Amino acid sequence: MNAAISQNSNTCRLCGGLGPLRESHIFPDFFIKGLEDHLVTGSKGATQPFSITLSVDPKIKGGRKQRGHWERILKIKYRLLCKTCEERFSQYEDYFRKLFYGNTPGSLQKENVGKLVSAPFQVSTQKVCSVRVVQCDYKLLKLFILSLLWRISVADGHFVGGTSLGFSHERRLAQALLAEDPLDENEYPFLMTDLRDEIGDDLGQFIAQPGVHRDPDNCRVCRIVAGGFNFDVSILALGHIPPAIVQKFTLRQNGQMILIAADGTSRIVDLARRLKAANAIPAVL
C-alpha cells in the first residue's frame, strides 16, 4: 500500500491492487440520493432523479441536472477503489445510515437517536436545540469518518480538490482503513453536530464543499457537511492531545458520543450571500 500511488484505470487508490475499479463516491451515495428530486421528463411522463448544484466558482455553471451529471463534472464519483475496498467502505456507510436515518428509503429523515440530556439553550449567538448522549459501535462509526476523510483528501476535481491533508495523513488513514483499525479516540477525533433550523426542524438538504481551517486552539480541522450533519475532524500530529472541547464531545472508545443539535441557519444565510454575490443564484434569494 502506498498513499502516493498514481491514479490510473487499473490501480486501486487505497490498496494499490491491480484490477477493475468501481465507480466510487467521495460522499456516500445515500447523501447524494437524499438531495434528489424526481421530475417528469419526456413524452411518456416518466420520472427521473435530478439534483441542483450552486457554486461561487466561476468554472462551475450550476443548475438542475439529471442524476450522474454533477457527480461526473465535480468528480465526486469516479474510478477510485477496487471491489474489495469499495465493499469495505459500504459496511461503514450502511451502519451510519441505519443509525442516524433508519431504514426508510428515499429522502433522508434524521432520527432522534440517543438519550436527551439537555433542552434548548443559547451559546453566544448560536441556539443549541438539544444535547444527546449516543451509544455507537466505536469501530464502525470511526471507520466511517476515517473513510470519508481519506476520500476527501485523496480526491481531486472542482468540488473537493485542494482539501489534501498531506502524504503522512493520507498514508496513516490508508493503513488504518486497510487494517480495519479505528485508531485511538485521540487520533482524528471529531465533533459531530446535528444541523437544525431556528425552530429545531431538520436542516439537511445540502452538501457543502469541504475545507480545512484552524480552530481557536490553532489546530487544523477538516470540516465536512452532508446529510444534515457537520463533522469537524481534528487533524493532529501523532501523539498530540486534542483540545479540551474536542475531548468532551468526541466519540469515545466505549462507544459514547455527545451529539449537539444546533441552529445552522447562519451557515445557509452566509452561503446564500456568497452565491448571490457570485451571481450563482437569483436576487430573490
Side-chain angles (χ1 to χ4, degrees):
M1 182 279 303
N2 190 325
I5 292 170
S6 61
Q7 187 178 347
N8 60 54
S9 59
N10 296 312
T11 304
C12 175
R13 192 69 179 272
L14 182 63
C15 70
L18 297 177
L21 299 186
R22 296 294 184 92
E23 290 278 350
S24 303
H25 283 88
I26 304 305
F27 293 90
D29 190 41
F30 64 82
F31 282 147
I32 298 170
K33 287 182 177 178
L35 303 178
E36 293 175 339
D37 292 322
H38 284 73
L39 305 178
V40 175
T41 60
S43 59
K44 295 183 179 180
T47 62
Q48 296 291 337
F50 284 76
S51 59
I52 295 174
T53 287
L54 299 173
S55 176
V56 298
D57 187 338
K59 297 188 293 295
I60 301 174
K61 302 300 181 183
R64 188 189 300 273
K65 298 292 183 180
Q66 204 166 330
R67 174 183 290 169
H69 176 88
W70 290 122
E71 292 168 285
R72 176 177 57 84
I73 296 299
L74 300 180
K75 290 194 73 175
I76 55 177
K77 180 182 180 182
Y78 62 98
R79 298 189 182 280
L80 182 71
L81 300 172
C82 65
K83 178 182 178 182
T84 299
C85 290
E86 181 76 17
E87 291 177 348
R88 179 185 288 117
F89 284 8
S90 292
Q91 64 177 316
Y92 312 143
E93 294 172 6
D94 288 345
Y95 175 76
F96 183 90
R97 193 196 193 290
K98 290 176 182 177
L99 177 62
F100 292 104
Y101 308 103
N103 291 313
T104 304
S107 297
L108 299 176
Q109 299 293 327
K110 285 185 289 190
E111 298 193 344
N112 291 321
V113 298
K115 180 181 178 182
L116 183 66
V117 295
S118 179
F121 60 94
Q122 200 78 17
V123 178
S124 185
T125 60
Q126 186 178 43
K127 178 183 177 182
V128 174
C129 304
S130 66
V131 179
R132 294 178 176 272
V133 176
V134 182
Q135 194 66 37
C136 312
D137 183 308
Y138 177 80
K139 179 178 180 179
L140 292 177
L141 181 55
K142 184 69 178 289
L143 285 171
F144 171 80
I145 298 296
L146 298 183
S147 71
L148 187 55
L149 189 64
W150 177 82
R151 279 177 279 185
I152 286 173
S153 183
V154 302
D156 54 19
H158 289 310
F159 197 70
V160 295
T163 319
S164 173
L165 304 177
F167 174 76
S168 62
H169 285 291
E170 289 176 5
R171 180 176 58 185
R172 179 63 173 158
L173 289 166
Q175 290 171 339
L177 291 166
L178 287 170
E180 299 187 337
D181 176 7
L183 304 177
D184 183 81
E185 64 187 38
N186 288 328
E187 284 196 72
Y188 305 104
F190 62 95
L191 300 181
M192 181 173 167
T193 306
D194 178 357
L195 298 177
R196 301 278 170 170
D197 65 17
E198 54 192 2
I199 62 172
D201 289 338
D202 190 8
L203 185 65
Q205 299 304 308
F206 72 102
I207 297 174
Q209 191 169 19
V212 177
H213 65 276
R214 293 276 178 178
D215 68 9
D217 294 288
N218 201 34
C219 296
R220 277 206 305 165
V221 174
C222 181
R223 172 164 292 172
I224 306 164
V225 180
F229 291 103
N230 182 106
F231 307 93
D232 281 336
V233 189
S234 296
I235 313 301
L236 306 171
L238 191 62
H240 284 213
I241 302 299
I245 187 68
V246 178
Q247 294 185 64
K248 181 177 180 179
F249 292 101
T250 193
L251 175 66
R252 311 308 294 260
Q253 284 179 260
N254 63 5
Q256 189 174 100
M257 178 179 69
I258 299 177
L259 178 63
I260 295 176
D263 180 8
T265 53
S266 61
R267 296 184 189 181
I268 300 296
V269 170
D270 177 65
L271 177 60
R273 286 172 180 162
R274 289 188 287 122
L275 289 168
K276 181 179 177 181
N279 294 318
I281 58 174
V284 293
L285 292 180

